[in-house]
Amino acid sequence: MIKKQIQDYESKKKSLQIQEDVLNRDLKRATAMLQREKERQLRLKQRVSRRKERKVEKVTMYEQLLGLSIESNKWGSNDKNEVMDESTPPRVTFTFSKFNEKEMDKKCNIVLETSIDETADEPFKIVTSTPELKNPDDYQSLIDTLNQPDGLRNFIIHSRKLLIDTLHSKL
């Protein structure tokens, strides 16, 4: 009887040892997979960071060469006197200067409102521009440009051209 209990004990011990070995092997695999995933995530994060840096460099170049400044107020307009709450859509102001050597100090801008609802049919709306664009269809043209691939870059270029043309037509 004791011999049988010892045999059962040894058998259970051997079975548990095998299970422990399997679990340790699985743990090593899972740890290795987790480490590879962490390394992959780090590479992706670095790639996104590099891409973001390149975009910041482009904006800096636009600022220097085209006199572009972009100001955003997360909720509401850039007017500090306006009372804002979370129901007021975010606005972005694109200001342009440095039109030519004679007009380095003149400024034009476009204020773009973005929809709070990301699924909205019309995610962007131009609130105002200075000078006011002469053709009402120009506003829709700018919105259409913004909704295209590479839209922000083309929006900036198109906005600047329309504002300069409008400014020169008023002189």
Side-chain angles (χ1 to χ4, degrees), residues 31-42:
T31 303
M33 287 172 55
L34 180 61
Q35 184 61 34
R36 284 192 302 271
E37 182 60 23
K38 283 181 180 178
E39 290 168 1
R40 187 182 78 80
Q41 291 292 330
L42 180 61

Side-chain angles (χ1 to χ4, degrees), residues 13-29:
K13 182 179 171 185
K14 190 174 183 178
S15 174
L16 289 172
Q17 185 63 46
I18 291 170
Q19 286 179 353
E20 182 181 13
D21 291 345
V22 167
L23 289 173
N24 281 332
R25 188 177 56 227
D26 289 348
L27 177 62
K28 285 179 184 176
R29 280 189 204 149

Side-chain angles (χ1 to χ4, degrees), residues 148-164:
Q148 298 299 315
D150 205 14
L152 181 59
R153 181 179 77 75
N154 293 330
F155 172 82
I156 290 170
I157 293 167
H158 192 51
S159 298
R160 186 172 193 272
K161 182 180 180 333
L162 287 173
L163 289 169
I164 290 171

